[in-house]
C-alpha cells in the first residue's frame, strides 16, 4: 500500500484479535516512526510498551480503579469545553457508533475499559518541562506509528482511556515521575468480525476545511 492508500483506509480499531505482536515487527514499526520530524530535532518522545501479562495486570488495575470509583487523573487533562463545531462532530461521531450494533455505545465504553483486547499498548511520554510544541511532535510521532503499523498489517487506536490512570503505568512500567504520559496507542491485529470495527468516522471535506488563495 502506498501512503495515500494507507491514509484513506486506516481507521481506529476497537476490537483486536488475541494474537500477539512479535518484538521484531514492533521494533521495525518504531524504527520507521522515529524518522518523524521534531522541533530543533529535540526528539522529545520517550516510549514504553506493555504486552502480555504486564498489560493484563495494568488492565486489571484499571478495572479495579473503575469499580472502586477512583477518579481518573490523566497527566494531560481532558478539555473542559469544546467550540460548537467540535461538539457537533463529537455528536455525529457517537451517532455513527450507535448504528453499528444494538447497545453499541455501551459496547464502545466496555471495549475502551478492556483496552480493546489489544495484545500491546505503546505509551508515548515526554518530559514535563517541555513546551506545547513537543506535544505537536508527539502527535506527528503517533501518526507515523499508526501508518507504519498499517503497512505491516497491524491495526491501531490512539486512546486517552489507556492513560487515565498514570500512577498504575508508572508503577508497572517504571515511567519516571518527570515524564507526562501523553497517549496510549493500542496495537495488534484487527478482529474483522467484530461489529464495532464496522464503524468508520466521517471527515469534513477539503473544501470545508481549507481556504486556498492564489492557486489555480
Ligand atoms: C488524542 C486522541 C485520543 C483518542 N482517545 C480515544 C479514546 O479514548 N477512545 C476511543 O475509542 N477512541 C479514541 N480516539 C480515536 C478517535 O475517536 C478517532 O481517531 C476518530 O474518531 C477518527 O476516527 P479514525 O481514527 O477511525 O479515523 C482518540 C484519538 C486521538 C487522536
Amino acid at each position: 500500500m502506498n501512503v495515500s492508500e494507507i491514509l484513506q483506509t486506516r481507521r481506529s480499531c476497537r476490537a483486536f484479535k488475541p494474537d500477539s505482536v512479535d518484538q521484531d515487527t514492533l521494533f521495525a514499526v518504531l524504527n520507521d516512526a522515529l524518522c518523524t520530524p521534531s522541533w530543533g530535532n529535540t526528539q522529545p518522545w520517550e516510549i514504553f510498551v506493555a504486552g502480555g501479562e504486564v498489560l493484563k495486570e495494568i488492565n486489571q488495575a484499571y478495572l479495579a480503579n473503575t469499580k472502586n470509583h477512583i477518579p481518573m487523573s490523566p497527566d494531560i487533562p481532558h478539555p473542559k469545553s469544546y467550540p460548537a463545531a467540535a461538539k457537533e462532530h463529537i455528536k455525529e461521531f457517537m451517532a455513527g457508533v450507535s448504528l453499528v450494533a444494538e447497545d453499541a455505545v455501551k459496547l464502545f465504553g466496555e471495549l475502551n475499559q478492556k483496552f480493546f483486547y489489544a495484545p500491546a499498548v505503546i505509551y508515548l511520554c515526554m518530559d514535563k518541562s517541555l513546551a506545547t510544541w513537543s506535544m505537536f511532535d508527539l502527535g506527528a510521532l503517533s501518526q507515523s506509528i499508526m501508518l507504519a503499523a498499517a503497512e505491516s498489517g497491524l491495526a491501531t487506536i490512539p486512546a486517552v482511556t489507556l492513560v487515565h490512570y498514570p500512577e498504575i503505568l508508572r508503577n508497572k512500567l517504571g515511567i519516571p515521575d518527570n515524564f507526562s504520559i501523553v497517549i496510549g496507542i493500542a496495537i495488534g491485529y484487527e478482529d474483522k468480525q467484530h461489529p464495532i470495527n464496522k464503524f468508520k468516522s466521517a471527515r469534513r471535506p477539503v473544501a470545508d476545511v481549507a481556504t486556498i488563495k492564489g492557486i489555480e
Side-chain angles (χ1 to χ4, degrees):
M1 278 200 291
N2 62 32
V3 175
S4 172
E5 285 164 345
I6 295 176
L7 284 165
Q8 292 291 344
T9 54
R10 181 219 57 83
R11 57 186 156 152
S12 291
C13 171
R14 293 189 173 82
F16 291 86
K17 293 203 281 192
D19 312 41
S20 57
V21 180
D22 69 74
Q23 210 180 99
D24 288 351
T25 308
L26 185 66
F27 198 90
V29 165
L30 294 179
N31 190 46
D32 284 346
L34 288 175
C35 297
T36 300
S38 60
W39 178 293
N41 203 26
T42 40
Q43 304 171 74
W45 36 71
E46 303 294 338
I47 299 177
F48 294 80
V49 182
E53 284 307 309
V54 179
L55 187 59
K56 276 191 197 139
E57 284 172 21
I58 293 171
N59 191 229
Q60 289 305 320
Y62 269 52
L63 292 170
N65 271 8
T66 308
K67 196 173 166 206
N68 296 324
H69 306 288
I70 305 215
M72 62 171 178
S73 56
D75 287 345
I76 312 298
H78 283 222
K80 288 205 168 61
S81 65
Y82 295 92
K87 268 191 207 155
E88 199 48 42
H89 295 308
I90 294 174
K91 215 166 110 188
E92 284 164 12
F93 164 61
M94 289 315 293
V97 169
S98 73
L99 297 178
V100 296
E102 212 178 303
D103 270 349
V105 173
K106 191 167 160 238
L107 184 62
F108 179 94
E110 285 167 2
L111 288 164
N112 266 270
Q113 282 195 4
K114 291 178 178 155
F115 296 175
F116 317 100
Y117 303 116
V121 175
I122 301 168
Y123 300 95
L124 303 188
C125 307
M126 66 182 207
D127 194 283
K128 284 181 178 163
S129 66
L130 287 160
T132 313
W133 281 108
S134 300
M135 192 63 91
F136 180 96
D137 300 338
L138 259 69
L141 176 68
S142 301
Q143 176 74 331
S144 296
I145 290 172
M146 293 188 280
L147 298 186
E151 196 190 25
S152 300
L154 288 160
T156 52
I157 179 168
V160 70
T161 49
L162 298 168
V163 294
H164 272 171
Y165 294 112
E167 284 322 307
I168 293 174
L169 300 174
R170 281 185 221 291
N171 287 338
K172 296 276 182 198
L173 299 174
I175 303 175
D177 285 346
N178 59 310
F179 288 175
S180 286
I181 306 173
V182 175
I183 195 76
I185 302 176
I187 184 164
Y189 297 92
E190 181 183 354
D191 177 353
K192 294 198 167 124
Q193 309 306 321
H194 200 290
I196 202 79
N197 286 333
K198 285 191 212 132
F199 172 67
K200 172 118 180 79
S201 299
R203 289 297 193 271
R204 299 161 65 198
V206 177
D208 285 5
V209 177
T211 304
I212 301 174
K213 294 186 193 282
I215 295 175
E216 294 304 319

